[in-house]
Amino acid sequence: MTHYLRRISSLPWNRIVWNTYSKPISLSGQQTKNIACLYSSQYLRPVSNNNNNSSYTIVQPSKLVLHTRAFQWQQAEERTATKSQEEGITPYQPVAEKLDKRDKNYPWKWRSFLPEHTYKPNLQIDLTRHHEPLDFRDKIALGIVKFLRVFADAFFRKRYGHRAVVLETVAAVPGMVGGMLQHLQSLRRFKPSGGWIRVLLDEAENERMHLMTFMAIAKPTLLERSLVLLTQGGFFAFYALIYIISPKTAHRIVGYLEEEAIISYTQYLQEIDKGTHANIPAPEIAIDYWQLDRNARLRDVVLAVRADEAHHRDVNHLKANLLYKKKYGEPAPVEALRHGDVNPEEAFRDKST
């Protein structure tokens, strides 16, 4: 009995096959209860039953593999959840996928993101980091961004809520364009992207969540909605063309755009602190998305958004630096997906030494 159980538990789950484990295994009463909980009785066929010992043979091995994998996953999730609660990492836990999200009683009220997509903003990120142009293309990228800044300042002035609504509709474009083109490139070359597809699409989704948040704070006017239609369409075509011609320049443009966004949100915070803009309660969607305190205010939201923009700045400058150094196959750092610290200067370091 012990021999067979050891063989079952010690081998990788994907190597469990019918021919190997079709032999009967004898179990005591308590062991029968334990293995039934683990493997489910539907995968064990009784052979004989003598007093306190029972003999079983494993049937439907393919279903057994799926069931045991699910059991391992469940156990790992429970251990992670317990550890997170003890360390006070996050109050949110993933919702079981077996639940129907169309059900009105589904325990998560948002459809645009799930609990596992929430996180705490990295408020310790360096906000002063600036990338000095390395070549003529970098200077062009910086010039384009400074040119666009003049128009944004002239149109919105200090209406930072409306400014955020309109500009976030444009800020979500680069990540989607870059992710799409990286995706197509990966298909053409039959090679993985090194995680950059996920990083760029996550950036686009994050910028869209900024828009959803500010929509609850400032409602765009008819003129601003019209401006969004023209600006988004024009910028999409412009950025896609730049990305096809020079991906490095495209990522550098985004890096400089995010630097300007940090300046704008810092000015927004200053206006809130001075009382020019009311420090209203944070929208519910922002509280759940950034795992904010239930009594969070607008200032907390702006701090979270600014931290996100700083993260996008570093990720895009890093990608541009990697392309500048011709490190085309360099994978994206894990921190890029975890909203952690990303140092663009890592591209210039020789990892072989």
Side-chain angles (χ1 to χ4, degrees):
M1 178 272 300
T2 305
H3 172 69
Y4 288 120
L5 284 183
R6 185 180 297 113
R7 292 179 63 190
I8 290 176
S9 61
S10 62
L11 289 178
W13 299 116
N14 59 0
R15 294 182 59 186
I16 296 180
V17 293
W18 165 261
N19 293 333
T20 304
Y21 298 106
S22 59
K23 299 178 181 180
I25 53 178
S26 299
L27 305 169
S28 66
Q30 182 60 36
Q31 291 167 339
T32 301
K33 181 179 179 181
N34 292 342
I35 199 171
C37 292
L38 177 60
Y39 296 134
S40 179
S41 58
Q42 62 180 311
Y43 305 129
L44 299 173
R45 178 183 298 162
V47 176
S48 63
N49 190 353
N50 300 321
N51 300 327
N52 292 330
N53 293 328
S54 300
S55 294
Y56 288 85
T57 183
I58 299 175
V59 297
Q60 296 180 309
S62 61
K63 292 185 178 180
L64 172 65
V65 171
L66 295 177
H67 189 79
T68 52
R69 279 178 175 168
F71 178 82
Q72 281 195 325
W73 176 85
Q74 180 182 3
Q75 294 298 307
E77 288 295 310
E78 290 178 356
R79 288 193 295 269
T80 302
T82 303
K83 181 179 178 181
S84 298
Q85 290 176 353
E86 292 175 352
E87 297 179 358
I89 297 177
T90 170
Y92 300 99
Q93 299 300 334
V95 177
E97 287 300 315
K98 66 181 181 180
L99 299 178
D100 187 358
K101 298 181 178 63
R102 296 170 296 180
D103 187 353
K104 65 179 181 180
N105 296 320
Y106 186 69
W108 183 253
K109 60 184 175 182
W110 307 110
R111 294 299 182 267
S112 54
F113 64 99
L114 292 174
E116 55 264 39
H117 302 148
T118 68
Y119 62 96
K120 288 186 178 296
N122 180 19
L123 300 181
Q124 306 303 319
I125 194 168
D126 184 3
L127 300 173
T128 62
R129 185 177 288 156
H130 169 69
H131 177 80
E132 294 295 337
L134 296 174
D135 54 17
F136 182 69
R137 288 178 296 175
D138 284 2
K139 293 179 180 179
I140 291 178
L142 182 58
I144 291 173
V145 171
K146 292 297 184 181
F147 178 74
L148 295 175
R149 173 83 193 211
V150 172
F151 285 95
D153 289 342
F155 185 83
F156 295 105
R157 297 185 185 275
K158 293 187 177 183
R159 296 185 302 127
Y160 292 104
H162 291 263
R163 182 190 191 117
V165 168
V166 174
L167 295 185
E168 292 294 352
T169 63
V170 177
V173 169
M176 184 59 64
V177 171
M180 175 187 68
L181 294 177
Q182 289 278 342
H183 173 72
L184 296 176
Q185 182 185 76
S186 176
L187 296 178
R188 289 195 308 272
R189 297 182 176 180
F190 303 96
K191 292 182 179 180
S193 70
W196 286 107
I197 296 174
R198 178 62 57 192
V199 168
L200 294 174
L201 293 181
D202 181 71
E203 175 186 314
E205 173 65 11
N206 184 245
E207 297 285 8
R208 190 185 67 84
M209 288 305 301
H210 293 176
L211 173 64
M212 297 298 101
T213 297
F214 282 108
M215 282 292 295
I217 297 172
K219 303 298 182 183
T221 64
L222 181 61
L223 176 61
E224 290 168 346
R225 290 177 180 270
S226 302
L227 180 64
V228 166
L229 292 176
L230 296 174
T231 306
Q232 188 185 74
F235 186 72
F236 180 91
F238 167 76
Y239 188 79
L241 179 62
I242 292 292
Y243 205 101
I244 292 172
I245 297 174
S246 175
K248 170 186 171 295
T249 304
H251 283 287
R252 194 69 78 197
I253 288 175
V254 179
Y256 286 134
L257 281 174
E258 300 296 3
E259 289 183 14
E260 296 298 324
I262 294 171
I263 295 174
S264 296
Y265 283 116
T266 299
Q267 294 172 346
Y268 196 2
L269 286 170
Q270 292 172 352
E271 295 297 317
I272 293 175
D273 292 339
K274 290 191 297 185
T276 306
H277 293 275
N279 192 19
I280 61 176
E284 290 185 3
I285 190 171
I287 291 175
D288 285 342
Y289 183 65
W290 283 292
Q291 301 180 13
L292 302 177
D293 184 79
R294 289 296 164 185
N295 298 319
R297 315 291 292 186
L298 174 60
R299 192 179 194 282
D300 301 307
V301 175
V302 177
L303 285 172
V305 173
R306 186 177 65 172
D308 286 347
E309 305 295 7
H311 176 73
H312 300 159
R313 171 205 62 193
D314 294 340
V315 169
N316 280 277
H317 278 319
L318 172 64
K319 181 61 174 175
N321 289 344
L322 290 172
L323 294 174
Y324 177 79
K325 296 294 291 183
K326 301 187 185 306
K327 297 181 179 180
Y328 303 116
E330 189 75 15
V334 177
E335 292 80 3
L337 276 172
R338 295 178 175 174
H339 302 274
D341 287 320
V342 176
N343 185 4
E345 302 305 315
E346 288 289 333
F348 300 112
R349 297 179 183 175
D350 187 1
K351 296 183 179 181
S352 62
T353 58

